[in-house]
Amino acid sequence: MTSSLIRRLALALLIIALLVGGIWWAKRPKPIAVVVVEIDQGKVESSIANTRAGTVEACLRTKLSATMGGRIEVLAVKEGDKVKKGQLLMKLWNDDQQAQSTLAQTQVQSAQKRVVEACTVAANAEAEAKRQSALFQKGFVSGSRDDQARADAQARRATCDAAKADVVQAQARVSATQVEQKRTVLYAPFAGTVAKIVGEVGEYSTPSPPGVPTPPAIDLIDDTCLYVRAPMDEVDAPKISAGQTVRISFDALPKQSFPGKVKRVAPYVSAVEKQARTVDIDATLDTDKTPPKLLVGYSADVEVVLAVRDKVVRVPTSALQEGGRVLVAGADGTLQERKIKTGLANWEFTEVLDGLAAGDKVVTSLEREGVKPGAAYVLDDKAKK
């Protein structure tokens, strides 16, 4: 074989090799851009949160209605007013009851005058009976006259006692009319704010019969003392007890949370939804970090802190895969699967007991296509600082 043929064969082989290499290079798997987080040490909390939105409640709230129906004559307050304990809120028309009360008071006065008359006569009759008895002892009058005098005195005394009983009865009638009048008025049972009024002057106000959800005439709240009531899953209820630390957030105050304590855990399970049985908890806000203005009825979320670990190795919870596995960005440019042992966890961080060390880089962009063990990777711009 001549040298020129050898050179041509070598050139042909070189060209083929270059073509094969070019095709391989063009079709080789491209590195996947991933977002990584460097493992560090910090605080990890174990916590649970409410299943449905909680509500801001007032420590004192009452929905007042008169115990009898009637036409509204006086509305002494309006919605939003601050009232004092014992202040008049509403009065129904009760002129007929006032007339009955006036009549009863007049009857008391008449009865008292009859007492004076009857008891004066009784005293005179008793004095006369004593005189007749003395005369009988001396033989100046007959025994029948003495007996008649004593019987008359006893009858007069009974009339006096009956007159006194009439006074008591008349006074009881006055008290009864006053009770009836109280059924037509509403007074504030505590100092607070009038939240809502149902009815106007001249309209008929209807009381709420037992078992019938009639709107109250006046809704009174004490907004100086507030707490949050939130439903927790029945499975989590045994983990909660009074005094535990909580974090409370409000839809009306986004990106903020406020510390507080569990005040009460309901002693029963609520079955508002059969598939979602819950236990209500009451949580109070720390007084030194309470929001400046909360409204009764605000929606709120309560996160109960069960346990806290400080200065532990932690991994973002979003980096965890099923079975306690994570993908680590290896120094050789490929993703490596690693099994780890975990401890406390919440939605943000999970404690690592074994399998990772501070400084390791774990992948958090697990949802990206091609992210799997052994895949080549490059760091996404989002991960670069």
Side-chain angles (χ1 to χ4, degrees), residues 254-277:
K255 299 181 180 180
Q256 299 181 65
S257 64
F258 303 89
K261 299 287 184 183
V262 175
K263 178 182 179 182
R264 169 184 171 271
V265 180
Y268 62 92
V269 175
S270 176
V272 177
E273 298 179 10
K274 293 183 178 180
Q275 289 77 22
R277 296 175 184 267

Side-chain angles (χ1 to χ4, degrees), residues 71-74 200-204:
R71 179 172 56 83
I72 299 175
E73 185 177 33
V74 176
E200 298 289 344
V201 173
E203 293 182 350
Y204 194 88

Side-chain angles (χ1 to χ4, degrees), residues 210-253:
V212 179
T214 304
I218 294 179
D219 188 0
L220 182 66
I221 61 176
D222 177 10
D223 54 5
T224 61
C225 174
L226 302 176
Y227 68 95
V228 175
R229 176 163 292 175
M232 311 297 290
D233 193 293
E234 63 175 339
V235 176
D236 296 325
K239 307 173 187 176
I240 307 173
S241 59
Q244 286 178 317
T245 300
V246 300
R247 281 190 294 269
I248 304 173
S249 57
F250 306 92
D251 289 348
L253 301 171

